[in-house]
Amino acid sequence: MEKLLKGKIVADKINEEILSRLPALYEKGIVPTLAIVRVGENPGDIAYENGAVKKAKSLGLQTEKFICPADMETEDLIAVIRSINENKNIHGILLLQPLPDHIDGERVRNSLAWEKDLDCISDRALGNLFVGAEGFAPCTAESCLEILKFYDIAVEGKKVVVIGRSMVIGKPVALMLLSANGTVTVCHTRTKKEDLIRCCLDADILVVAAGCRNTLTAEMVRSGQTVIDVGINFDEERKMQGDADFEGISQIVDHITPVPGGVGSATTSVLMRHLVEAAEREKN
Ligand code: NAD
């Protein structure tokens, strides 16, 4: 099997699956529609939004933008989300984050109906994930598992180390790997360096989601391992880099996701599949 676990081929397979599921929805007059909610004019948010719109269009899915002024108040933003929750023609919501500081992000997140919370940002959706109830997993975390599945890298019975414990990636991906019957250890900033190195060397699969370049380096890995690098960082020349020292460790481990071209490449397709699933639920 290839050393480089590329995300695009995984995305292509998910896209194919989406295309095969759409005719049944179209037949009932349903076009899966995604609400994209953006507050302000952050260029990063706009880039992400444009990517989502383009991907949706290429698959025959619809998007509707809700662009709110940067000085919008919490209550007004919640009112926008509630109106989307109640809109039967919209099946999913993508809320671009982080929100401006003056907004109570927790209240806004939790105003999303769990059925439309495609990226699992509300506490209700996270609770559903925890107990294994209906709902959607965070797209990036699911993308990690999709890559492992696509490349036939079994999780069951494997020692898995997750570096990072955020609600966005670390915790949910650890939970999902546990549900996939991995033996999961979570490391974080308070993990002693010697323990981090020992855990990493002992692992079969490493998922790095620390948001910090060179979190995983050559002395922390060995042959036989798979590395899923979730990190998105930029070096001095504005070149995108992951959390792993790619140059140093790609020669040593068996498999590794590149950055860019790895986890991030499959994430938007996972989001679109969630949208289709939400529309199917509405149909039924
Ligand atoms: P975060 O800053 O909220 O959390 C980082 C976590 O990593 C924390 O729990 C912290 O304890 C831990 N950590 C940081 N440095 C560490 C170190 N040296 N050793 C051990 N643990 C360490 O970040 P996040 O939102 O979880 O995102 C993580 C990374 O994933 C970021 O680079 C982000 O840009 C990237 N990301 C990628 C995608 C994608 O689609 N590929 C999507 C979202 C976020």
Side-chain angles (χ1 to χ4, degrees):
M1 196 208 302
E2 313 90 288
K3 174 169 293 246
L4 274 191
L5 307 179
K6 292 189 183 156
K8 188 183 173 298
I9 185 170
V10 182
D12 290 344
K13 183 162 173 265
I14 298 171
N15 296 344
E16 259 173 46
E17 186 195 323
I18 290 172
L19 291 171
S20 73
R21 286 162 75 164
L22 282 176
L25 285 167
Y26 290 163
E27 234 169 62
K28 303 247 173 183
I30 299 170
V31 181
T33 301
L34 174 69
I36 302 178
V37 182
R38 165 162 58 85
V39 181
E41 301 294 323
N42 180 320
D45 286 349
I46 295 171
Y48 190 61
E49 174 186 308
N50 289 341
V53 170
K54 199 169 147 205
K55 170 69 87 178
K57 204 170 168 196
S58 73
L59 292 167
L61 309 170
Q62 260 174 10
T63 49
E64 206 170 306
K65 293 186 193 181
F66 293 79
I67 298 163
C68 307
D71 61 356
M72 189 175 226
E73 294 300 334
T74 300
E75 291 304 331
D76 297 329
L77 184 55
I78 290 175
V80 170
I81 305 265
R82 291 217 171 110
S83 74
I84 301 170
N85 286 343
E86 283 157 21
N87 186 337
K88 291 253 175 271
N89 297 319
I90 293 180
H91 308 95
I93 305 173
L94 176 66
L95 173 66
L96 298 176
Q97 298 192 91
L99 294 166
D101 288 346
H102 71 277
I103 288 181
D104 184 341
E106 193 175 327
R107 284 191 54 216
V108 174
R109 278 194 298 108
N110 285 319
S111 66
L112 265 77
W114 70 268
E115 296 92 338
K116 297 190 181 185
D117 184 0
L118 303 186
D119 201 20
C120 195
I121 61 170
S122 62
D123 293 350
R124 169 79 191 264
L126 284 161
N128 284 357
L129 182 74
F130 189 84
V131 296
E134 261 190 314
F136 303 105
C139 299
T140 305
E142 190 168 325
S143 176
C144 297
L145 276 97
E146 282 292 327
I147 290 175
L148 290 168
K149 193 167 97 187
F150 179 88
Y151 287 99
D152 258 334
I153 297 168
V155 174
E156 182 157 334
K158 296 291 170 57
K159 285 181 273 188
V160 185
V161 163
V162 176
I163 307 181
R165 58 172 168 180
S166 76
M167 292 304 291
V168 180
I169 305 169
K171 278 183 192 161
V173 83
L175 193 61
M176 292 165 81
L177 290 159
L178 182 64
S179 299
N181 298 318
T183 303
V184 182
T185 304
V186 180
C187 298
H188 45 81
T189 39
R190 304 291 173 93
T191 303
K192 289 181 189 146
K193 183 74 183 176
E194 64 268 28
D195 291 339
L196 178 66
I197 295 173
R198 186 177 42 77
C199 286
C200 288
L201 283 170
D202 195 37
D204 302 302
I205 298 170
L206 292 141
V207 178
V208 203
C212 185
R213 277 174 67 197
N214 296 326
T215 299
L216 190 72
T217 50
E219 75 279 9
M220 300 164 81
V221 299
R222 57 172 173 77
S223 70
Q225 294 180 312
T226 295
V227 175
I228 306 289
D229 190 348
V230 184
I232 299 177
N233 310 290
F234 293 91
D235 68 13
E236 301 73 23
E237 284 138 31
R238 299 295 301 154
K239 201 171 150 234
M240 199 191 280
Q241 307 271 352
D243 287 348
D245 166 22
F246 186 84
E247 293 299 314
I249 70 174
S250 56
Q251 309 302 319
I252 305 171
V253 299
D254 284 11
H255 312 290
I256 182 166
T257 56
V259 178
V263 176
S265 301
T267 303
T268 320
S269 292
V270 170
L271 174 75
M272 296 304 159
R273 186 170 62 191
H274 287 178
L275 178 64
V276 171
E277 277 166 27
E280 286 171 347
R281 192 180 293 135
E282 177 76 26
K283 181 191 83 172
N284 299 327

